[in-house]
Amino acid sequence: MDETPQRIFCRCCIVGGGPAGMMLGFLLAHAGVDTIVFEKHADFLRDFRGDTIHPSTLEAMHDLGLLEDFLKLPHQKLRQGEVKIGDVTIPFVDFSHLPVHAKFVALMPQWDFLDFLAERAKRSPCFRLLMSAEADGLIEEEGSVAGVTAKTKDGRLTIRADLTIGADGRHSLVRREAGFVPLDIGAPMDVLWFRLSRRTTDADDFLGRVDAGQILVVFNRANIGSAPM
Ligand SMILES: Cc1cc2nc3c(=O)[nH]c(=O)nc-3n(C[C@H](O)[C@H](O)[C@H](O)COP(=O)(O)OP(=O)(O)OC[C@H]3O[C@@H](n4cnc5c(N)ncnc54)[C@H](O)[C@@H]3O)c2cc1C
């Protein structure tokens, strides 16, 4: 196999195709900036992520002219919800008063959200998305970051860019290699994330319960979206 790395040049290289990387890639490409996003997985299908797309995100989608088409994707709407604290059930959230166009949380798998963003971003000639491409080092020249190296299923890749952005999540390689040290503010609680079946009598807008030292949050996550649950 030819070990010579394939070379790519671009103005902006974004490592990581999560919500941050894909949205930034979309914005830069639509502003005419030659942008590459690369993502180490072959697809966006990762079930450990949540499903709630909040009114503020939906408003950003509206501002970008994407909301109408986005809401054609299968989703549920959470307009209000109740929580039980001790023995008392109280209204907990009500989005109807928000000064936004979509006064609800859209429940939709994150991979559908990312697939949608990717499809819209690709309509710009300035956008390239490389899947199954994992950054494994930074290129440094004269004290500056000048791009990244990556491995793909087709071999090694060198991407030279005027601006390199790390959007590669909480264990960011870009951050580590660039010498940034995150501030550890601690985690005040542990979260256990799991799936339960529903009864037909379960309330649609029940969000959970709170007791001394314990919180249970429930999302009514129907079998919607493009992937099997
Ligand atoms: C269990 C759980 C539930 C959640 N629920 C919700 C929710 O309901 N609503 C909500 O808004 N948020 C939710 N969140 C938070 C949300 O998932 C994160 O805020 C969001 O994913 C962060 O986006 P990001 O793009 O910064 O990072 P990430 O989503 O972590 O994306 C980083 C991407 O970079 C890729 N990557 C990593 N290293 C490399 C590399 N070396 N080369 C190339 N690619 C790389 C990863 O594969 C990944 O796709 C939840 C999180 C968890 C863990």
Side-chain angles (χ1 to χ4, degrees), residues 119-130:
E119 188 272 320
R120 289 306 165 111
K122 283 177 191 166
R123 295 184 183 185
S124 164
C126 294
F127 183 83
R128 281 177 280 178
L129 175 63
L130 302 182

Side-chain angles (χ1 to χ4, degrees), residues 147-161:
V148 292
T149 57
K151 54 187 175 197
T152 73
K153 56 184 180 351
D154 300 321
R156 296 203 57 74
L157 195 60
T158 299
I159 300 177
R160 300 187 73 88

Side-chain angles (χ1 to χ4, degrees), residues 14-23 37-44 46-54 57 105-108 110 113-114 130-137 149-151 166-174 176 191-194 219:
I14 301 172
V15 180
M22 289 305 301
M23 182 56 90
V37 177
F38 63 106
E39 164 56 46
K40 68 179 178 183
H41 290 101
D43 53 42
F44 296 120
R46 285 180 286 297
D47 199 19
F48 58 82
R49 288 170 172 167
D51 301 346
T52 57
I53 300 175
H54 298 240
T57 308
V105 168
L107 293 164
M108 178 192 297
Q110 196 186 75
F113 173 68
L114 293 176
L130 302 182
M131 302 301 285
S132 304
E134 180 172 1
D136 57 4
T149 57
K151 54 187 175 197
D168 46 345
R170 70 179 69 180
H171 303 297
S172 171
L173 170 127
V174 174
R176 188 175 65 243
V191 176
L192 180 62
W193 187 268
F194 57 97
F219 291 118

Side-chain angles (χ1 to χ4, degrees), residues 50 72 105-106 198:
K72 288 177 185 163
V105 168
R198 282 175 58 79

